[in-house]
C-alpha cells in the first residue's frame, strides 16, 4: 500500500455499535465494513472542501487526541494548524468533552428568540469580563464571517441612527482576511480575496496599503500617512475602519507595528469613524496577549471573536460593542439590530465556549505561548539560510516561513504528511499555529520538518 498519496488509503474501516465510522484499529468494531478508498472517492466526487476544487486530495481522519490526528490508515500526524487557529487546548480534551456531553443531556438547542439559557449567559459574562470595559454588549453568531457581517451592520445602523446614513462604507488595509460572506469579502484583500470575480456584486470599500512597519521593526511615522489621507478624504462616507489588529492572518500572515494600530485608533476618533477589530484569529492569546489589541493598548468600538472561542469544538463567534453604540441602535427607527440567526447562541457551542474560556484563563497560557514563541524563533531561524526562503517571522504561537517563489502546495502538503506532520501552506506561506499544549519535542518535529522539506525545493 502506498503511503504517499492522500487517496490511496485502502485499509478498511468499521462502524462501531453507535454507528460512528471508526478506524480499523479501533476496538469493538461492528460487522459493517467499508473501504476508505471508496469513501474518499465519494467525497471527491460529491463534497466541496474549503477553497478547493471538487476532487482535490483529502486525507481521511478518524480520531484526534491532544496534538495528534489519526488517519484512517493508522498514521498519526502532529498538528501544526490547530484546525485553523481553533483547537488551542488540543483535541479530545476531557474537560471540553464533559461540558458538551453534560449540556447535551440537558438540551442540545433551543431558539434564542424569546428564550435565554445558562450557557449563553455564562459565556456572555465571561466575554464582558475578559474584554476591555467599554465592550459590554454581546451578539452571539454562528461563525466568524457572520460576526463580521454583524459588526458591519452595527456600524451602519449606528450612523443611520445618528442621522448620517451616508456613512456606510468601510476603510481597511490590504492583506486582510475577514471571511467569505459578501460584506466580509468586500474588506478582504482585493487580490487574494479575488474581488474581480465579484466586481459589481461586492460593495466597493476603501483600501489603504498593507501596514509597512514590521511588528518588531522601527516605527516610521510615514507608515500611516496613506491611511491618514484616505480616512480624511472619505470621512463623510465611512462608517468604520475594520482590520485585524497586529497580526493579519489568511490574507498574508503579516505582523505589523503596534504604533500603527494606535495611530488608526486616534485617526478614527479624529474623523468620527468607528473602529472594528477583527480578532477572530488573534483572540484568546494566540499573539501572546489575550487580544492582539492589547499589544497597542487600543480598545475598538466593535470587536469580533471566533475560531478559538469554543476551543475548536463547534462553530461559534461573538461581536461585542459598547453601550453607546448598542443604545443608539436601539433608539433608532429600526429599534433593534437587524440580525438573528436560527442557531444563535446554540447551547452546546456556548457550553463548549464557557469550558474553553475557563480552561484558558485557569492555565499558564502566557508562559506556554511565550515559550512557543521563543522556540519558533530559534528553530525557524534555520530556514533563513535556505535558498527558497525569503522571510521568517514569529509572533506568539504563530511561526511563518515565506518562500521567494510560488510553491507546489499539494506536493508540499503530501511531503509534510509523509513526514508525520499536518501543515496547510497557502500562497508562498508555510506557517505554524500549533495548539498551546504542544510539547517542545513535538514543536521541534514541526519546525525541523519545515526546515528539511524547504531545504530541498
Ligand atoms: C477565519 C476568519 C474569519 C471568518 O471566520 P469563519 O468562521 O471562517 O467564517 C474572519 N476574520 C478573520 C480574521 C479570520 O481569521
Amino acid at each position: 500500500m502506498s503511503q504517499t498519496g492522500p487517496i490511496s488509503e485502502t485499509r478498511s474501516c468499521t462502524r462501531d455499535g453507535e454507528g460512528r465510522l471508526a478506524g480499523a484499529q479501533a476496538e469493538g468494531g461492528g460487522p459493517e465494513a467499508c473501504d476508505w478508498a471508496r469513501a474518499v472517492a465519494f467525497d471527491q466526487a460529491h463534497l466541496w472542501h474549503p477553497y478547493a476544487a471538487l476532487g482535490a486530495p483529502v486525507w481521511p481522519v478518524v480520531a484526534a487526541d491532544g496534538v495528534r490526528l489519526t488517519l484512517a490508515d493508522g498514521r498519526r500526524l502532529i498538528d501544526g494548524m490547530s484546525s485553523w487557529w481553533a483547537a488551542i487546548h488540543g483535541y479530545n480534551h476531557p474537560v471540553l468533552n464533559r461540558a458538551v456531553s453534560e449540556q447535551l443531556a440537558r438540551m442540545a438547542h433551543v431558539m434564542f428568540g424569546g428564550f435565554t439559557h445558562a450557557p449563553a449567559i455564562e459565556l456572555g459574562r465571561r466575554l464582558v469580563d475578559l474584554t476591555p470595559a467599554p465592550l459590554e454588549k454581546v451578539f452571539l453568531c454562528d461563525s466568524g464571517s457572520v460576526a463580521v457581517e454583524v459588526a458591519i451592520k452595527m456600524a451602519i445602523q449606528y450612523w443611520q441612527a445618528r442621522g448620517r446614513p451616508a456613512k456606510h462604507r468601510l476603510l481597511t488595509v490590504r492583506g486582510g482576511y475577514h471571511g467569505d460572506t459578501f460584506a466580509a469579502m468586500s474588506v478582504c484583500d482585493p487580490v487574494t480575496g479575488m474581488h474581480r470575480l465579484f466586481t459589481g456584486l461586492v460593495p466597493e470599500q476603501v483600501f489603504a496599503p498593507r501596514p509597512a512597519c514590521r511588528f518588531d521593526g522601527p516605527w516610521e511615522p510615514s507608515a500611516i500617512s496613506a491611511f491618514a489621507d484616505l480616512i480624511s478624504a472619505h470621512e463623510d462616507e465611512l462608517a468604520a475602519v475594520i482590520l485585524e489588529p497586529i497580526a493579519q492572518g489568511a490574507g498574508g500572515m503579516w505582523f505589523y507595528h503596534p504604533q500603527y494600530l494606535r495611530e488608526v485608533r486616534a485617526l478614527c476618533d479624529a474623523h468620527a469613524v468607528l473602529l472594528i477589530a477583527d480578532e477572530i484569529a488573534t483572540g484568546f492569546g494566540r499573539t501572546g496577549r489575550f487580544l492582539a489589541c492589547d499589544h497597542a493598548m487600543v480598545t475598538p468600538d466593535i470587536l469580533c471573536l471566533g475560531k478559538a472561542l469554543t476551543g475548536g469544538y463547534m462553530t461559534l463567534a461573538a461581536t461585542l460593542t459598547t453601550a453607546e453604540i448598542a443604545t443608539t441602535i436601539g433608539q433608532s427607527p429600526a429599534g433593534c439590530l437587524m440580525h438573528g440567526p436560527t442557531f444563535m447562541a446554540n447551547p452546546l457551542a456556548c457550553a463548549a465556549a464557557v469550558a474553553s474560556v475557563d480552561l484558558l484563563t485557569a492555565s499558564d497560557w502566557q508562559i506556554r505561548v511565550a515559550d512557543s514563541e521563543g522556540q519558533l524563533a530559534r528553530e525557524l531561524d534555520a530556514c533563513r539560510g535556505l535558498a527558497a526562503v525569503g522571510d521568517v517571522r514569529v509572533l506568539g504561537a504563530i511561526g511563518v516561513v515565506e518562500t521567494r517563489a510560488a510553491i507546489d502546495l499539494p506536493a508540499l502538503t503530501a511531503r509534510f504528511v509523509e513526514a508525520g506532520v499536518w501543515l496547510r501552506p497557502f500562497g508562498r506561506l508555510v506557517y505554524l499555529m500549533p495548539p498551546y499544549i504542544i510539547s517542545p519535542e513535538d514543536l521541534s518535529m514541526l519546525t525541523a520538518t519545515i526546515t528539511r522539506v524547504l531545504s530541498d525545493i
Side-chain angles (χ1 to χ4, degrees):
M1 185 181 113
S2 162
Q3 293 275 303
T4 54
I7 57 167
S8 57
E9 331 297 352
T10 51
R11 247 184 240 205
S12 68
C13 68
T14 55
R15 276 178 197 277
D16 66 16
E18 292 161 62
R20 290 181 302 240
L21 281 173
Q25 296 77 10
E27 293 187 0
E32 191 185 331
C34 75
D35 176 344
W36 269 111
R38 275 178 42 218
V40 170
F42 178 88
D43 177 296
Q44 296 195 304
H46 297 282
L47 304 184
W48 260 302
H49 288 259
Y51 283 104
L54 279 167
V58 284
W59 283 267
V61 182
V62 294
D65 250 293
V67 300
R68 281 188 167 62
L69 307 169
T70 306
L71 299 184
D73 63 8
R75 281 181 291 170
R76 308 242 292 158
L77 307 181
I78 300 175
D79 174 38
M81 300 295 300
S82 301
S83 283
W84 279 333
W85 318 79
I88 53 176
H89 310 295
Y91 300 88
N92 202 9
H93 196 290
V95 173
L96 299 180
N97 289 3
R98 192 179 336 116
V100 174
S101 46
E102 285 179 3
Q103 182 56 40
L104 181 61
R106 283 191 286 270
M107 170 174 71
H109 183 66
V110 67
M111 62 192 284
F112 209 50
F115 285 130
T116 192
H117 47 76
I121 294 166
E122 288 305 311
L123 179 58
R125 280 192 210 286
R126 283 161 179 76
L127 295 180
V128 169
D129 278 356
L130 285 166
T131 55
L135 300 170
E136 54 160 87
K137 310 295 182 190
V138 184
F139 192 100
L140 295 168
C141 321
D142 330 34
S143 71
S145 301
V146 175
V148 169
E149 297 285 328
V150 167
I152 293 171
K153 268 193 198 178
M154 281 179 183
I156 291 173
Q157 279 199 248
Y158 173 77
W159 290 114
Q160 283 176 353
R162 295 272 309 261
R164 300 192 60 184
K167 282 171 75 70
H168 66 264
R169 290 183 78 193
L170 299 160
L171 168 61
T172 187
V173 294
R174 286 178 185 264
Y177 176 76
H178 297 284
D180 292 345
T181 52
F182 274 77
M185 207 166 44
S186 76
V187 284
C188 291
D189 183 82
V191 179
T192 60
M194 291 176 288
H195 283 206
R196 71 194 145 70
L197 291 179
F198 301 102
T199 307
L201 300 174
V202 291
E204 269 191 43
Q205 313 292 11
V206 184
F207 286 88
R210 183 176 86 164
C213 284
R214 296 176 76 102
F215 179 82
D216 48 5
W219 169 249
E220 298 287 345
S222 61
I224 195 69
S225 52
F227 183 96
D229 292 345
L230 286 167
I231 198 170
S232 74
H234 293 276
E235 64 177 5
D236 291 336
E237 51 171 359
L238 288 178
V241 166
I242 180 168
L243 40 72
E244 294 156 283
I246 306 299
Q248 294 183 302
M253 305 297 295
W254 174 251
F255 313 139
Y256 59 87
H257 202 288
Q259 186 61 26
Y260 189 95
L261 193 58
R262 286 190 280 269
E263 304 275 339
V264 166
R265 175 72 272 185
L267 287 163
C268 285
D269 291 341
H271 294 279
V273 174
L274 300 178
L275 177 58
I276 302 171
D278 178 351
E279 296 243 15
I280 289 165
T282 50
F284 302 102
R286 179 57 70 176
T287 67
R289 304 291 179 93
F290 187 75
L291 297 176
C293 279
D294 298 341
H295 288 284
M297 306 296 279
V298 155
T299 301
D301 302 295
I302 301 174
L303 171 70
C304 301
L305 296 171
K307 290 203 160 96
L309 175 59
T310 63
Y313 265 53
M314 261 168 280
T315 178
L316 186 70
T319 309
L320 283 85
T321 192
T322 63
E324 197 254 325
I325 291 173
T327 311
T328 304
I329 292 170
Q331 289 164 352
S332 68
C336 65
L337 181 70
M338 290 298 187
H339 212 90
T342 305
F343 287 99
M344 185 166 177
N346 171 255
L348 290 174
C350 290
V354 168
S356 174
V357 168
D358 287 352
L359 260 185
L360 184 69
T361 51
S363 75
D364 56 354
W365 65 267
Q366 293 92 336
I367 295 169
R368 287 184 165 276
V369 171
D371 286 350
S372 288
E373 178 174 50
Q375 192 182 343
L376 285 167
R378 276 192 312 279
E379 296 181 355
L380 291 178
D381 203 48
C383 292
R384 283 185 206 277
L386 303 178
V389 171
D391 189 33
V392 175
R393 41 190 189 263
V394 172
L395 179 65
I398 317 169
V400 184
V401 180
E402 184 168 339
T403 59
R404 294 181 194 278
I407 29 185
D408 179 347
L409 298 177
L412 202 62
T413 309
R415 294 254 344 244
F416 287 137
V417 171
E418 278 170 56
V421 304
W422 180 243
L423 295 165
R424 192 158 167 84
F426 69 93
R428 293 185 289 121
L429 300 163
V430 180
Y431 65 101
L432 277 167
M433 42 169 88
Y436 299 168
I437 56 146
I438 195 165
S439 68
E441 296 72 30
D442 286 342
L443 189 55
S444 283
M445 260 290 282
L446 290 166
T447 57
T449 306
I450 290 178
T451 311
R452 193 173 66 248
V453 168
L454 290 183
S455 65
D456 18 278
I457 63 166

